[in-house]
Amino acid sequence: MARANELFDCSTPQNEYWTHVADQHELPIAPGKESVRKVSLVSELTTRINMEGENANLRDELHTRLAGNPNLLDEIRLFAGISDKRLYLALSYEFSRTVVDVSDRIPVTLCGCMPYEMASHSTAFFKRLLRSKDAEVRTLSSQVITDFLLRNGLADTLLAYGKLTKEDQERLLERLVFAKEAQQNEAKRRGHGAESHIARVLEFAGCRLVPESKVRNPMGAPDPNIDIEHLEIAPRKAGITHSCDIAVNDATGVLQAWVVSLVQSSDPGQFGVDKSETTSTIRRLLEASNARLGRYVELWGIVDGVGYAENKSGTINRMLASFHEFFQVKSAYKAALAAHRLGIGRISAIRFDGEFYSPNSALQMVEAYVPSDVVVLQNSEEAAPSWRSLRAGMATIYA
């Protein structure tokens, strides 16, 4: 039976990208906090149901707790299966039809809007009302929100949830209730994980990186800003600087390349289209500055993820044409080769993974990216004892 890698082709940037593309589970996850699972109120209401049965006075309990901590609204909304938009539109309707009677003033609605105006307010707006200094507004807001949640099935959901074991409750919260929140957190950490992966390769090759902490603290490392007119790192200034994820300097601290990270494990949507346009613009501005200043600063990209399959022509194809070099998790070794080519890093040899590459696809990568003074080791060849090694995607590099 033929092996899948015999079908690999790296003869064009697009073919190379899809040959090396990483599925979501193959993208490294940067260390950091898991998404916060706010389950305090759900747990307490469930405990009350288990103790008191279906006669538990959920309305009073929920009303009291929301009035004391408006942020609990986020937790209970998710648990009830109510989207943020449905919540704030429904509450905008309810609040514009709930009158607050104040003895010394003309009666006004709870949100201050007339029913015939039907203004849309954000969830944050209703949280502010739950914190109002006016006790009547605060109490009535909590009551209206509580009644809305109970009308939309919260009690039945809590009753069913309370009958599960603790293990099943945790599983339900993780897989269903807070799944989207967890997925968003994980997607962000995978993007930063790819940055850390590439930064480690550049660091191994001896490059000077800004920020220096990108390898060890990718989530917390501050993004540098590039003054594209003067081609140097500078404090952020709107309309003047452009943010990047990694700046690569030479031994004297002069900027030689800057890296932007654009990893998409799901549909990039309009964000991907906008970023591809921005990347094209930055490349044009960079070339103009290079010509004017007599410099040769390169634009590198960390791009990966199957999400770009949703709109290749509007996103990834345009970006690949805008980068001097692009790196993926499986082709991370290219970062070291690019640094070697520019003279800001150094590696001695490379060994391609024969299980991943076919002889033809490996040869294509060698011809496209490996400088003539870098040794290409065959599988049977031994590396020099003095060389350090690093697995960098689907190849091992030596320095």
Side-chain angles (χ1 to χ4, degrees), residues 332-389:
Y333 58 85
K334 287 175 58 182
L337 294 174
H340 184 100
R341 173 178 55 79
L342 285 183
I344 54 176
R346 176 75 184 177
I347 63 170
S348 301
I350 185 169
R351 187 196 307 276
F352 288 89
D353 186 338
E355 289 298 311
F356 179 81
Y357 291 102
S358 67
N360 183 60
S361 58
L363 179 60
Q364 290 171 331
M365 296 301 287
V366 170
E367 292 178 343
Y369 299 110
V370 180
S372 59
D373 59 343
V374 174
V375 177
V376 179
L377 295 174
Q378 302 304 317
N379 289 334
S380 59
E381 291 184 80
E382 294 186 3
S386 60
W387 287 346
R388 297 176 296 119
S389 66

Side-chain angles (χ1 to χ4, degrees), residues 43 45 83 91 93 130 144 209 221 230 272 290 294 327 336 369 392:
S43 298
L45 293 177
S83 70
L91 293 183
Y93 177 88
L130 288 171
V144 171
L209 307 182
H230 299 95
N290 276 331
F327 318 127
Y369 299 110

Side-chain angles (χ1 to χ4, degrees), residues 127-261:
K127 289 184 185 179
R128 287 195 294 272
L129 291 184
L130 288 171
R131 299 186 182 96
S132 173
K133 293 180 180 180
D134 188 317
E136 185 176 7
V137 170
R138 187 170 63 250
T139 299
L140 193 53
S141 295
S142 179
Q143 290 174 345
V144 171
I145 293 173
T146 295
D147 289 342
F148 167 77
L149 292 169
L150 292 175
R151 281 200 313 273
N152 281 272
L154 177 61
D156 291 340
T157 304
L158 285 167
L159 286 170
Y161 179 77
K163 296 175 183 178
L164 301 174
T165 64
K166 284 290 185 182
E167 292 77 13
D168 286 342
Q169 287 178 354
E170 289 297 323
R171 189 175 295 111
L172 179 69
L173 289 173
E174 180 179 358
R175 298 294 184 182
L176 297 178
V177 178
F178 299 115
K180 185 174 182 180
E181 179 186 11
Q183 288 168 3
Q184 290 173 338
N185 174 272
E186 184 178 287
K188 181 178 180 179
R189 291 172 59 206
R190 287 188 186 278
H192 285 289
E195 294 170 21
S196 177
H197 189 59
I198 298 300
R200 182 176 291 106
V201 174
L202 290 168
E203 191 176 79
F204 176 83
C207 296
R208 297 184 59 179
L209 307 182
V210 178
E212 295 180 355
S213 59
K214 179 62 75 170
V215 174
R216 288 157 289 280
N217 183 26
M219 296 289 290
D223 290 343
N225 292 280
I226 308 297
D227 180 338
I228 203 165
E229 182 178 353
H230 299 95
L231 296 180
E232 59 187 17
I233 300 173
R236 183 180 181 277
K237 189 172 183 180
I240 302 297
T241 60
H242 293 270
S243 175
C244 70
D245 296 286
I246 306 170
V248 189
N249 295 336
D250 64 15
T252 65
V254 176
L255 181 69
Q256 299 296 314
W258 46 305
V259 189
V260 294
S261 179

Side-chain angles (χ1 to χ4, degrees), residues 73-94:
L73 180 59
D74 295 318
E75 173 194 338
I76 208 69
R77 171 187 67 76
L78 285 169
F79 185 80
I82 300 171
S83 70
D84 184 58
K85 178 173 287 189
R86 181 187 171 203
L87 176 75
Y88 69 68
L89 286 177
L91 293 183
S92 295
Y93 177 88
E94 296 283 348

